[in-house]
Amino acid sequence: MIRLPRLSRLSFRTKINCGIVLIVGLISIPLAYLTWRAAAESLQSETRKRGLVLSENLAMRVSDAMLSMDLLRLKNMVDELKKVDDIVYAFILDRDGNVLVHTFKGGFPVELREVNAPAGGAPHIRLLDAGREMIDDFAAPVVIVGTPFGTARIGLSRTKAEAAADSLALMIVFYSAAAMVAALAPSTLFARRVTERINRLRAHAEEVVKGNLDQRAGPRARCACSSVLACDRTACPAHGDRDRRCWLTAAPGQRGGGPESCEGCPVFAEQKGDEIQDLAETFDVMAVSLKTHLDELRRAERVLSRQERQLRTILDANPDLVCLLDERLVYLAVNRAFAAFVGAEARDIVGAPDRDVFPLDEGEDMHAENALVLETSRPSDREVSVRRDGATTWLHVVRVPIVDGRGRTIGILRTARDVTQLKQFQEQLIQSQKMESLGKLAGGVAHEINTPLGVILGYAQLLQDDVPPDGQMRLDLQTIEKQAKVCRKIVADLLGFSRQAESAKIEMCFNNSLMEAVTLVRHAFSLERTEIATDLDERMPIIYGDPEKLKQVWINLLSNARDAMGPCGGTLLVRSRLFAAEQKVTAWFADTGPGIAQENRSRIFDPFFTTKPVGQGTGLGLSVSFGIIKDHGGAITVESPVPAGFFDDLSLGDAPGPGVVFVVDLPLDHEETLGACLPAESPEG
């Protein structure tokens, strides 16, 4: 008696073949007829779709050739289509309906040209009766830049498609009848068995997809350990059975079989099964391995996330501008300081080149420097200046190439530190040293010149008494006296600049000091069409200072404003305010003149710097004023143009220029005398 093998031990291919035979055997003759009908309609439908695709494809391909009127190329295209068995003909029409190329050997049938055309700019299909066969005619428009240039026509034989459908129907009927007779009974048993096992495997796969990796699909599956390895399934020393196999667990990195490794923990059933069982058990291995790797990945992800947060915190806390660029010089990452400096979000910077992040000129320079470091693989260290908000910012930029394991440069790490303040300190230190040296030199020169200058001035004045009053000699002596006085004024300014004269500071009223200077120059200024307006704070306290030197500062500022406005004149506003909370008083000297150029604003307090014509200024007035205010513990600054709204209370109308305002801050040394100073009377101005 022949015993059939257990179903679980049959190969999966055998079971599938048996199932197909049994399923086909259940098909009856009516179903075969319906299948034939469906197959015929499907073939016809596919033929029509294929014809549409071929016609549209031909219409697209011939557009370039039609533009250039390359008829040889057009002919090759349609002849290539004619090689397909079921294509009866193919031809191309221009926009006027003229035939450009065709595949007919005996001449083109004229009546075929107008039997079909695209409808509404879309391909159109029409069934033609050619007598011996039925033909599906496909007409596709040739459109170039939205303009119809012609029509592509293809004819497919429907008769050949129907013949194929008839052959298929005969085969279906024959095999269906044979299968129905031979395999009607066992089909249900085999189909049910295979379906149950596949459904069980599907359910297991769904559990794995849901994340339940502890489920087992194989029968009698045992434990599931961390790392799964396979020993030699054909000769396992531990089990001694060629029909058995042991998939074991071992430490990561361990390989191979052997008695020791086969002592481990099997994952699968001990007896070998068919392909479905193999697949189920493979799912178990996959689940175990996947769970192990997922656990490792989660641990690695937690470590990487923690390290990334730490690195991001360090970078964002760093005030330097830190960025990382790849080998295409595109930003991979930036820190918070870098994003704030360029005025953009970090996510918008990542993926962009320097040209899109920095202004055009700066971006080109940055890109060139980065490209040089990337090309030479050598670090770069230099200082650059950039313009931000109208001011110059100095950056110390360091570029370091990033190299992979093969020594190839794959990116650049760039850091930039703002050294503007350090630059300013350096410039201030140098300027301070220069000013100190210049002050010593000026003081020494002034003392040496003062004595002979006094002698010259004295003799010039004495000699005027010994010459006729209307003679040329008298005029020459007066010229010598005048120029000697100018020299004496310069010497006095030099002495003041060198600060060798001690200040005699006393208690004084700030408003009275301002008004004394205004009163001295108001009349002379009015003759030159310069009006002085005052806006003084009546709460002004007593300050501690040198009245004469402060008066010299006020007159210097007023005179400079008058000279800046020129012969056309203008308005000069003197304003004072008390800031008790900050323990200071402030005076503003604003004019409606042409203002100070940006390049001269940082140099106006330098000694001997002047914009006046030769012979009209020494360039020491503001330097001496700066020294006097600094000697009083205060500060003097300049703004140009005058802030908006500064002259609103004066109703000046249209001011002739942007103007300049000097701001003088002096400290309060006697807070208890606040309000003790009576307001100075100021004429209407």
Side-chain angles (χ1 to χ4, degrees):
M1 181 178 179
I2 300 176
R3 299 182 60 182
L4 294 176
R6 291 178 55 184
L7 294 178
S8 59
R9 295 194 177 186
L10 293 177
S11 66
F12 189 71
R13 178 180 297 179
T14 302
K15 294 175 183 177
I16 290 296
N17 291 335
C18 293
I20 292 175
V21 172
L22 294 177
I23 292 172
V24 173
L26 296 176
I27 300 175
S28 61
I29 298 301
L31 292 178
Y33 172 77
L34 295 177
T35 304
W36 166 73
R37 294 283 302 186
E41 293 176 358
S42 176
L43 285 174
Q44 292 179 4
S45 176
E46 289 299 321
T47 301
R48 295 169 69 89
K49 291 179 181 178
R50 178 166 165 266
L52 285 174
V53 171
L54 290 174
S55 61
E56 290 177 344
N57 187 25
L58 179 62
M60 292 174 59
R61 291 171 57 198
V62 302
S63 58
D64 291 339
M66 289 187 68
L67 280 176
S68 59
M69 290 304 293
D70 190 348
L71 298 180
L72 178 60
R73 186 178 172 189
L74 291 174
K75 178 63 175 175
N76 291 336
M77 290 181 184
V78 297
D79 288 341
E80 182 180 355
L81 286 176
K82 188 62 175 63
K83 296 178 181 178
V84 182
D85 292 338
D86 56 345
I87 294 182
V88 181
Y89 58 82
F91 59 93
I92 305 297
L93 301 175
D94 62 10
R95 68 173 67 183
D96 298 324
N98 299 319
V99 179
L100 298 179
V101 292
H102 61 83
T103 59
F104 295 95
K105 295 182 179 180
F108 182 80
V110 179
E111 62 274 16
L112 185 60
R113 184 175 57 185
E114 298 179 357
V115 298
N116 192 15
H124 186 262
I125 307 172
R126 184 171 182 180
L127 181 61
L128 304 179
D129 187 0
R132 293 179 298 175
E133 58 180 346
M134 302 297 290
I135 299 175
D136 285 320
D137 185 279
F138 299 85
V142 179
V143 180
I144 302 177
V145 195
T147 303
F149 267 66
T151 305
R153 296 273 296 276
I154 295 177
L156 267 69
S157 174
R158 177 176 289 189
T159 303
K160 294 182 179 180
E162 292 176 349
D166 293 339
S167 299
L168 178 62
L170 291 176
M171 293 177 61
I172 291 174
V173 171
F174 175 79
Y175 286 112
S176 297
M180 180 182 59
V181 175
L184 184 60
S187 62
T188 303
L189 178 61
F190 278 96
R192 183 183 303 169
R193 178 64 177 172
V194 173
T195 303
E196 287 177 355
R197 302 184 66 191
I198 292 179
N199 287 336
R200 187 164 58 246
L201 185 59
R202 178 187 56 80
H204 173 64
E206 291 177 353
E207 292 296 325
V208 171
V209 171
K210 294 177 182 178
N212 186 3
L213 301 178
D214 295 326
Q215 296 291 327
R216 295 293 171 263
R220 300 183 301 281
R222 299 189 180 180
C223 66
C225 301
S226 58
S227 299
V228 182
L229 301 174
C231 67
D232 187 359
R233 65 175 65 183
T234 59
C236 180
H239 299 119
D241 190 344
R242 296 178 60 87
D243 203 26
R244 297 169 181 257
R245 59 178 166 168
C246 68
W247 287 57
L248 307 175
T249 60
Q254 183 178 350
R255 292 292 183 269
E260 293 80 14
S261 62
C262 290
E263 295 286 333
C265 177
V267 177
F268 304 130
E270 296 180 355
Q271 299 297 325
K272 180 180 178 181
D274 57 15
E275 284 82 353
I276 294 182
Q277 182 175 331
D278 289 347
L279 184 59
E281 294 175 352
T282 304
F283 263 97
D284 290 341
V285 176
M286 179 190 68
V288 173
S289 301
L290 185 60
K291 182 179 180 182
T292 302
H293 293 311
L294 285 177
D295 292 341
E296 294 175 354
L297 288 176
R298 291 190 184 99
R299 288 193 295 270
E301 182 181 8
R302 289 193 294 268
V303 173
L304 290 176
S305 298
R306 183 171 62 253
Q307 293 177 349
E308 182 182 3
R309 289 193 299 270
Q310 293 173 351
L311 181 59
R312 173 55 61 181
T313 302
I314 294 173
L315 290 178
D316 287 341
N318 191 345
D320 294 344
L321 315 181
V322 183
C323 62
L324 180 65
L325 298 94
D326 63 9
E327 56 187 355
R328 298 178 295 117
L329 299 181
V330 171
Y331 285 96
L332 294 178
V334 298
N335 70 339
R336 186 177 301 168
F338 185 95
F341 181 80
V342 301
E345 295 292 335
R347 60 177 177 272
D348 298 330
I349 300 174
V350 173
D354 279 314
R355 298 184 181 92
D356 296 340
V357 176
F358 291 92
L360 183 60
D361 52 346
E362 297 177 11
E364 291 293 341
D365 294 340
M366 288 281 188
H367 182 80
E369 290 288 337
N370 295 336
L372 181 62
V373 172
L374 193 66
E375 180 181 357
T376 61
S377 297
R378 294 180 179 177
S380 171
D381 182 359
R382 62 189 299 263
E383 291 184 353
V384 298
S385 62
V386 296
R387 299 288 296 178
R388 288 295 181 274
D389 300 328
T392 300
T393 300
W394 284 91
L395 298 176
H396 181 208
V397 183
V398 177
R399 296 176 174 85
V400 179
I402 301 175
V403 182
D404 60 7
R406 297 179 296 176
R408 187 173 62 93
T409 302
I410 59 174
I412 297 176
L413 175 63
R414 188 178 71 202
T415 62
R417 177 168 297 179
D418 189 346
V419 293
T420 305
Q421 191 173 13
L422 180 60
K423 281 279 188 181
Q424 293 174 350
F425 287 157
Q426 292 175 347
E427 293 175 357
Q428 290 174 4
L429 179 60
I430 295 173
Q431 183 68 14
S432 175
Q433 293 174 346
K434 290 167 58 178
M435 296 289 284
E436 182 180 358
S437 301
L438 185 59
K440 292 179 180 179
L441 176 63
V445 171
H447 278 294
E448 295 296 331
I449 294 177
N450 226 5
T451 300
L453 188 60
V455 174
I456 294 172
L457 183 59
Y459 275 100
Q461 292 173 345
L462 289 174
L463 288 174
Q464 291 182 38
D465 297 335
D466 299 334
V467 298
D470 298 330
Q472 181 64 36
M473 183 67 71
R474 181 66 175 264
L475 296 176
D476 294 340
L477 291 173
Q478 288 177 349
T479 302
I480 293 174
E481 179 187 5
K482 180 180 178 182
Q483 296 303 320
K485 289 181 179 179
V486 172
C487 292
R488 186 173 62 181
K489 176 66 169 57
I490 294 175
V491 170
D493 289 342
L494 285 173
L495 286 173
F497 172 70
S498 63
R499 301 180 190 171
Q500 294 187 3
E502 296 183 356
S503 298
K505 297 179 181 178
I506 61 174
E507 291 183 349
M508 56 174 288
C509 184
F510 191 73
N511 279 355
N512 288 345
S513 176
L514 292 173
M515 285 308 306
E516 286 178 7
V518 171
T519 304
L520 285 174
V521 301
R522 186 189 296 275
H523 178 69
F525 282 18
S526 64
L527 297 178
E528 299 181 13
R529 294 189 289 183
T530 299
E531 299 296 330
I532 302 178
T534 58
D535 178 17
L536 306 182
D537 193 331
E538 296 181 354
R539 302 173 301 158
M540 212 36 61
I542 300 271
I543 65 170
Y544 191 68
D546 188 330
E548 293 302 321
K549 288 193 173 183
L550 289 178
K551 187 188 301 182
Q552 180 184 355
V553 174
W554 312 147
I555 292 176
N556 276 340
L557 296 178
L558 293 171
S559 300
N560 284 341
R562 186 265 323 268
D563 295 341
M565 287 185 285
C568 296
T571 301
L572 207 162
L573 174 62
V574 180
R575 175 175 293 165
S576 65
R577 290 291 183 269
L578 166 66
F579 298 96
E582 301 177 23
Q583 285 295 289
K584 71 174 184 178
V585 291
T586 302
W588 291 269
F589 296 81
D591 63 65
T592 58
I596 300 177
Q598 176 69 28
E599 60 272 14
N600 296 332
R601 203 173 303 169
S602 60
R603 303 176 57 196
I604 60 173
F605 294 110
D606 292 347
F608 305 109
F609 174 78
T610 180
T611 57
K612 296 179 182 179
V614 178
Q616 297 187 17
T618 62
L620 288 173
L622 287 178
S623 299
V624 172
S625 300
F626 183 87
I628 293 173
I629 296 300
K630 187 175 182 181
D631 183 55
H632 282 71
I636 180 171
T637 57
V638 63
E639 295 182 29
S640 181
V642 176
F646 199 85
F647 293 105
D648 286 353
D649 296 337
L650 300 181
S651 302
L652 296 179
D654 296 332
V660 178
V661 56
F662 284 87
V663 185
V664 180
D665 294 323
L666 289 175
L668 291 178
D669 291 312
H670 293 272
E671 185 178 0
E672 67 276 4
T673 61
L674 182 64
C677 176
L678 294 177
E681 295 183 359
S682 61
E684 291 296 321

